[in-house]
Amino acid sequence: MTTPAPAQRTVNLAITGASGAQYALRLLQCLVAAGCRVHVMVSRAAQVVIATETDLKLPGAPPAMQECLTEFSGAEPGQVLVFGREDWFAPPASGSGEKAPLVICPCSTGTLSALATGASNNLIERAGDVALKERRQLILVPREAPYSEVHLENMLRLTRMGAVVMPASPGFYHKPQSIQDLVDFVVARLLDHLDLPQDLMPRWGEARVDAKQPR
């Protein structure tokens, strides 16, 4: 008997209009490299931010955007799927769809507000609402400074609902030498939370553990 190939893991990735498009694009590349199928949702504001902060210009139509992101990430055909803003038949739109984690990176404060109050006016907000009600893994990556009382209250409310709020705040103990190192720090933390292998940066204490191993 032949052993069936392991099922391809799916990760839902939503990109909203906060600054920090580099985090989302790097995460997409890493998810693809890890062999994941990635369901991508991109807000209109995110398209503007991506064009402003990077050299990538995303087309507006989902099929053309899917082709662009597939090429950008080096994905196999069908590995990256892009869903439109009102595609209510997309898998992330229903609790009956495939059970998969959702990462909103970067997460705008408007999206935080919508999720904290149960508003679902587009697919990204609906996907977040589904993740919360189905108790699925939901990671939110806000990139704002400073936070107002409203922002903090929304983050506290979402944390109590089960979401993980992971601000895009890179550390410096790994002695970054470039902006890419700072981006990779945050993306590595996201991959760790998704329980996916990563070699972007060593985990805290690994050097001490390695040094204590018998040789």
Side-chain angles (χ1 to χ4, degrees), residues 14-45:
I15 307 173
T16 65
S19 180
Q22 295 88 343
Y23 296 113
L25 296 176
R26 180 61 166 152
L27 178 59
L28 175 61
Q29 290 177 325
C30 292
L31 292 174
V32 166
C36 297
R37 179 191 299 111
V38 190
H39 292 166
V40 180
M41 297 157 278
V42 183
S43 72
R44 290 189 179 90

Side-chain angles (χ1 to χ4, degrees), residues 68-87:
C68 178
L69 290 176
T70 295
E71 180 180 356
F72 170 81
S73 63
E76 297 293 329
Q79 189 178 2
V80 172
L81 303 178
V82 173
F83 296 99
R85 301 172 188 90
E86 296 182 348
D87 188 350

